[in-house]
Amino acid sequence: MDMYFRILHDEASGELTYLLADQDTREAVLVDPRGRDLPVLAALLAERELRLRWVLRTHQHDALHVREPAQLARLGAPLVQGAAGENLRLARDGDVLPFGHELIRVLATPGHTAGCLSFAWRDRLFCGGLLAVDACPHQPLPAQPEALWDSVTQRVFTLPDETLLFAGHERRARAVSTVLEQRRWHPFFAGLSRDEFLARVAALPLALHHAAPDAFNALV
């Protein structure tokens, strides 16, 4: 199938949005769009004559929870996330979202926030802030460390080694890694037991995230 894939990068915040489109049917999906980018997103869709099928959010933070859905609703496509809300479609583990001739599979991956989802498409997993641990600008520490450990070790790290992992925040101009790389080298998961991981997270100071490199990109 003829697919279009684009990464939109906010240089100021490091946040990333992903656009997937089946060019045969002109159906598209946005992963983690930002409300402030609506004019750019609408122009990009119009330029390529794409019809937006889904707006997918890997996670949502309390400070952004109220205004973002209302803004994103203006894109005219169902808004899918792992936390319930007005005019939102609540997705569950195992849901399949079709667009064009393609399918996106929903994985429940709580931990960074309680309702975190990851979205699997072909050889790629869009996992938002799941692997950031202590470096997300909106969530300095995991909301549910125990669930985060389970999500990463039992859901993400059991995927094929070559699976591409696309983060919600970049550092040092890096957005993508692989399961093999993160399983072997991630500073919070590789070589640690569950208890060691939980102890390490519990010992993190709340201010650490202001100075620490994003764990997803700490390998660069």
Side-chain angles (χ1 to χ4, degrees), residues 157-174:
F157 284 0
T158 57
L159 295 172
D161 289 350
E162 63 274 16
T163 303
L164 300 175
L165 302 176
F166 286 85
H169 305 277
E170 66 82 24
R171 292 289 175 90
R172 305 175 189 173
R174 190 178 189 200

Side-chain angles (χ1 to χ4, degrees), residues 127-139:
C127 53
L130 194 67
L131 296 171
V133 182
D134 65 338
C136 173
H138 307 299
Q139 185 79 31

Side-chain angles (χ1 to χ4, degrees), residues 57 65-66 68-70 73 79 81 83-90:
R57 301 180 80 199
H65 182 70
V66 175
E68 282 282 320
L79 182 59
Q81 63 181 39
E86 186 177 357
N87 299 320
L88 300 173
R89 170 169 171 165
L90 178 63

